[in-house]
């Protein structure tokens, strides 16, 4: 079973292993997007040609609840993404977009049991692959019984600011405590 969007190329999205099966359900789709599908028959190493016109259909918007996102923050090891859990969720798909890029990249599939929670009940995922100095956007989708929700976008984009400030000295003086530190290449202010 193959799928494409717009004038792109068909990409394999699934197979069936029973020659009596004449149907397939595409569960990894974006609601509201128009897709074109086609099918090839195969036997061993031999495959048929496929209908290049295919069948075009607009996918229904999913009714799966999407999570409520919180602001992004830096941690010692990466950018922290936080969202409220969805009671029916089997898993969550976490996506990242480099500032200025067009595409979103799926970076994780996690279950609630794999994540920490903060004192307000938000689930916490830390993107440890974020590169210092890059600005990223994040989104999360709920995966529920084989279907994905719409994207829930973090309300802000965030710079991976992973280089800690290194202190040079601290001196107590009559007018206060004087602190001195090394410059951080990504800092605008301190």
């Amino acid at each position: 079973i193959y799928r494409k969007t717009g004038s792109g190329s068909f990409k394999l999205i699934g197979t069936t292993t029973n020659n009596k099966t004449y149907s397939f359900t595409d569960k990894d789709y974006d609601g509201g997007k128009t897709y074109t599908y086609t099918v090839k028959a195969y036997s061993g190493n031999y495959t048929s040609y496929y209908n290049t016109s295919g069948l075009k259909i607009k996918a229904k918007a999913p009714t799966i609840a999407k999570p409520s996102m919180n602001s992004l923050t830096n941690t010692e090891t990466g950018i922290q993404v936080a969202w409220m859990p969805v009671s029916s969720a089997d898993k969550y798909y976490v996506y990242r977009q480099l500032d200025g890029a067009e595409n979103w990249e799926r970076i994780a599939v996690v279950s609630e049991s794999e994540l920490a929670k903060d004192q307000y009940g938000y689930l916490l995922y830390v993107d440890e692959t974020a590169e210092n100095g890059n600005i990223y956007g994040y989104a999360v989708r709920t995966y529920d019984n084989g279907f994905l929700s719409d994207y829930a976008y973090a309300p802000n984009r965030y710079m991976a600011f992973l280089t800690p400030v290194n202190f040079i000295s601290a001196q107590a003086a009559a007018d206060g405590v004087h602190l001195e530190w090394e410059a951080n290449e990504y800092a605008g202010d301190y």
Side-chain angles (χ1 to χ4, degrees), residues 151-172:
Y151 288 88
Y153 298 98
N156 61 321
R157 289 185 168 262
Y158 219 70
M159 178 189 284
F161 220 151
L162 308 177
T163 307
V165 173
N166 293 319
F167 282 101
I168 296 172
S169 67
Q171 296 177 348

Side-chain angles (χ1 to χ4, degrees), residues 23-182:
S23 66
F24 177 83
T25 302
D26 180 7
K27 295 183 178 182
D28 188 11
Y29 65 92
D30 291 328
K33 190 178 268 190
T34 300
Y35 295 100
T36 304
Y37 294 89
T38 193
V39 176
K40 281 185 181 181
Y42 70 93
S43 178
N45 293 328
Y46 304 102
T47 60
S48 71
Y49 198 68
Y50 57 89
N51 180 329
T52 57
S53 299
L55 177 66
K56 189 180 281 190
I57 188 166
K58 185 173 184 178
K60 287 186 177 179
T63 55
I64 307 302
K66 62 183 181 181
S68 174
M69 302 292 290
N70 198 5
S71 295
L72 304 170
T73 55
N74 272 308
T75 69
E76 188 176 341
T77 58
I79 295 178
Q80 180 175 276
V81 185
W83 65 90
M84 288 303 284
V86 174
S87 61
S88 63
D90 297 324
K91 295 188 180 298
Y92 298 95
Y93 285 38
V94 182
Y95 297 83
R96 179 177 74 191
Q97 183 186 50
L98 181 63
D99 201 41
E102 185 177 323
N103 297 322
W104 288 84
E105 169 192 14
R106 188 174 76 192
I107 58 170
V109 178
V110 292
S111 62
E112 187 170 335
S113 63
E114 297 174 78
L115 300 169
K117 276 189 181 178
D118 70 7
Q119 68 270 28
Y120 305 107
Y122 283 96
L123 298 175
L124 306 175
Y125 171 81
V126 177
D127 177 10
E128 296 182 352
T129 64
E131 293 184 23
N132 202 30
N134 284 342
I135 297 173
Y136 298 101
Y138 289 86
V140 176
R141 298 173 80 183
T142 305
Y143 179 84
D144 178 8
N145 197 27
F147 290 93
L148 287 166
S149 72
D150 285 333
Y151 288 88
Y153 298 98
N156 61 321
R157 289 185 168 262
Y158 219 70
M159 178 189 284
F161 220 151
L162 308 177
T163 307
V165 173
N166 293 319
F167 282 101
I168 296 172
S169 67
Q171 296 177 348
D175 61 343
V177 177
H178 177 74
L179 302 173
E180 195 174 328
W181 57 85
E182 293 176 3

